[in-house]
Amino acid sequence: MPSVQQLRPFAEAPLESFRAASGPVALIQQPPEPVFQQVAMQLGQARTVSMTSRTRLAERLLTMLQGFQHLEVHLLQPRVDGEEFTVGRMDTCMLMVKDPSVSKLHAKLRWSEKEGACLVRDAGSMNGTYVNAVPLAPHQDFQLRDGDALSFGDAQFLYLHTDTLHAHLRLIQDPV
């Protein structure tokens, strides 16, 4: 998946072209540390590891945003209303998160054409799903808003509409 910096040249395209190529929403993630990726891959079907920083979600989000241009971009491109995107550690998930604190099937994102947004639902994960550092009740839908911080266990994401991503890409300075 591309980094924010790698997408930067595409910000010169008109918004409609960018949106057509990218889809309506994106999840922006700090790349997991290589050691966590290895542990997650070795776990495979094994049990999920407990979260390390439940009390530090907001602090970790600020740290993540300081290096915005290096974050990874997951473009969600729903084709139909109600389309679901599974989130988890398994390679069968549409959004595979290589973090040992993420359950095999951690959550589901469902596209709502009417709302122009995704709904998130925790799938009964061990470490929970959080929106803006607030835990979600398992198996209940929560509508995401542009700019929400979304956490699956220790893995943190920023939920952005493509229009917002496009605007941020245009603001990033080219490296000197």
Side-chain angles (χ1 to χ4, degrees), residues 4 18 28-29 35 45 53 60 70 82 87 90 111 114 137 145 150 153 176:
V4 169
F18 184 80
I28 315 296
Q29 176 192 24
V35 68
Q45 294 286 346
S53 61
R60 290 181 65 224
H70 302 294
V87 179
M90 299 303 296
W111 174 246
K114 177 183 173 194
R145 295 181 314 264
L150 181 59
V176 180

Side-chain angles (χ1 to χ4, degrees), residues 55-75:
T55 59
R56 296 181 36 224
L57 291 175
E59 177 185 316
R60 290 181 65 224
L61 177 63
L62 290 174
T63 302
M64 183 174 95
L65 292 176
Q66 289 174 343
F68 187 74
Q69 67 272 15
H70 302 294
L71 302 179
E72 292 179 345
V73 179
H74 302 266
L75 299 169

Side-chain angles (χ1 to χ4, degrees), residues 5 11 14 23 41 50 53 65 88 90-91 127 135 142 146 151 158 175:
Q5 188 65 39
M41 297 312 291
S50 293
S53 61
L65 292 176
M90 299 303 296
D91 58 5
N127 291 313
F142 183 88
D146 191 30
S151 302
L158 191 61

